[in-house]
């Protein structure tokens, strides 16, 4: 004698919302979703690519009986709903995309599923009142979400930080500068004065610079050599007999020199 196969389904988290399949299907055909896909590339033909795993699909085909007949109904009378209520529940689950638990111990079923397609007929020849159906299930795999913290805005555009107005302090004058490789009189003057006043630096070191260039047979007047120690004088303000540091020039704060 063939062992009866009991099949039932219920809403996950609400077992009171259920459907019993009193006439078990002859089989549970399953479509296993592989990772390989065939795509067509223009000018190259078909190629196989591998993507993410796909969900298994399987079909249950049977009918809800209007009358009890022990030759094909495995559940006892009163343990299952009438055909209209049973097919109505399946349609409700399909429309609302309700996650279900499909179970059959003898049939080897215990899956979380959702209904992806439902087809049914009201009555067939010789089966007055019965509802025949084909329902397709797919394994239910709930989506996962990652929380992202969003900082609330007060509606105001954040102010940009003000550009720094601080300047690099200039060396105190007078000073002695040792020439490094690649330096020029104008570059040295800019470090100490803020402007390329190379004439002032040259005039303060004329004898040293001219003697070194003459010895090296260099005609360039303002040529300097690494290692030379140049005196960097305090600049004289135009039209006065006093001297001032670069910071004091143009501010009205003139420092009088002790020299006459």
């Amino acid at each position: 004698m063939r062992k009866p196969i009991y099949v039932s389904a219920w809403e996950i988290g609400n077992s009171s919302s259920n459907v019993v399949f009193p006439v078990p299907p002859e089989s549970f055909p399953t479509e296993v979703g592989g990772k390989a896909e065939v795509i067509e590339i223009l000018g190259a033909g078909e190629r196989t690519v591998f993507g993410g795993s796909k969900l298994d699909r399987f079909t249950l085909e049977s009918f809800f009986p209007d009358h009890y007949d022990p030759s094909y109904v495995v559940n006892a009378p009163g343990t299952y709903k009438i055909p209209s209520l049973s097919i109505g529940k399946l349609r409700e689950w399909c429309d609302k995309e309700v996650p279900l638990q499909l179970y059959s111990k003898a049939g080897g079923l215990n899956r979380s599923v959702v209904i992806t397609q439902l087809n049914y007929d009201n009555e067939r020849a010789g089966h007055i009142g019965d509802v025949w159906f084909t329902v397709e299930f797919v394994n239910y795999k709930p989506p996962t979400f990652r929380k992202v913290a969003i900082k609330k805005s007060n509606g105001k555009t954040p102010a940009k930080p003000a550009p720094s107005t601080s300047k690099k302090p200039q060396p105190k004058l007078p000073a002695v500068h040792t020439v490094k490789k690649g330096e020029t009189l104008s570059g040295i003057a800019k470090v100490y004065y803020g402007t390329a006043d190379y004439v002032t630096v040259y005039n303060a070191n004329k004898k040293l610079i001219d003697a070194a260039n003459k010895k090296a047979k260099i005609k360039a007047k303002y040529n300097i050599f690494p290692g030379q120690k140049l005196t960097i004088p305090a600049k004289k303000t135009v039209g006065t007999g006093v001297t001032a540091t670069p910071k004091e020039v143009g501010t009205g704060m003139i420092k009088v020199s002790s020299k006459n």
Side-chain angles (χ1 to χ4, degrees):
M1 182 177 178
R2 183 179 178 183
K3 186 177 180 180
I5 298 176
Y6 300 96
V7 183
S8 60
W10 61 88
E11 290 185 27
I12 294 177
N14 182 17
S15 59
S16 61
S17 179
N18 60 74
V19 168
V20 173
F21 300 91
V23 182
E26 294 182 0
S27 63
F28 299 99
T30 302
E31 178 184 340
V32 179
K35 294 184 178 182
E37 290 186 11
V38 177
I39 64 172
E40 185 170 351
I41 301 175
L42 184 63
E46 293 186 339
R47 295 290 186 272
T48 303
V49 296
F50 291 91
S53 60
K54 297 179 181 179
L55 301 174
D56 292 351
R57 298 175 181 271
F58 55 99
T59 303
L60 193 155
E61 186 174 359
S62 185
F63 67 94
F64 294 117
D66 186 45
H67 302 285
Y68 174 74
D69 187 332
S71 64
Y72 53 79
V73 177
V74 297
N75 294 82
T79 60
Y80 54 90
K81 298 179 177 66
I82 62 175
S84 60
L85 293 179
S86 295
I87 199 66
K89 179 60 70 174
L90 289 182
R91 182 162 185 169
E92 176 189 338
W93 287 343
C94 183
D95 292 341
K96 295 183 178 180
E97 301 176 338
V98 179
L100 310 171
Q101 193 68 27
L102 186 64
Y103 179 76
S104 174
K105 184 177 180 180
L109 281 177
N110 188 14
R111 304 190 186 190
S112 298
V113 298
V114 291
I115 298 175
T116 55
Q117 188 171 342
L118 173 65
N119 300 306
Y120 62 93
D121 294 329
N122 289 317
E123 299 184 3
R124 285 186 182 179
H127 291 270
I128 306 298
D130 296 343
V131 177
W132 296 76
F133 65 88
T134 300
V135 57
E136 183 185 70
F137 298 96
V138 63
N139 282 356
Y140 173 64
K141 189 176 182 180
T144 56
F145 302 96
R146 184 177 63 180
K147 292 184 178 180
V148 178
I150 300 177
K151 188 176 181 180
K152 291 184 178 180
S153 173
N154 57 7
K156 297 180 180 179
T157 304
K160 294 182 179 179
S164 176
T165 57
S166 60
K167 295 182 179 179
K168 186 177 180 180
Q170 294 176 334
K172 292 182 179 181
L173 299 176
V176 176
H177 179 86
T178 301
V179 179
K180 300 179 182 63
K181 185 177 181 180
E183 286 187 320
T184 62
L185 285 177
S186 58
I188 294 171
K190 197 168 184 179
V191 171
Y192 289 92
Y193 300 141
T195 59
D197 188 2
Y198 62 91
V199 176
T200 299
V201 180
Y202 170 77
N203 288 337
N205 301 274
K206 188 176 184 304
K207 290 183 179 181
L208 173 66
I209 295 173
D210 289 350
N213 287 333
K214 185 177 180 180
K215 183 178 180 181
K217 297 182 180 180
I218 294 176
K219 295 181 179 180
K221 184 176 181 181
Y222 301 110
N223 184 69
I224 55 177
F225 296 91
Q228 287 180 321
K229 295 185 181 298
L230 303 181
T231 299
I232 312 299
K235 292 181 67 175
K236 290 186 177 182
T237 56
V238 178
T240 70
V242 298
T243 59
T245 64
K247 187 175 180 181
E248 295 165 343
V249 174
T251 63
M253 298 173 61
I254 304 298
K255 182 178 180 181
V256 180
S257 173
S258 59
K259 296 181 181 180
N260 294 326

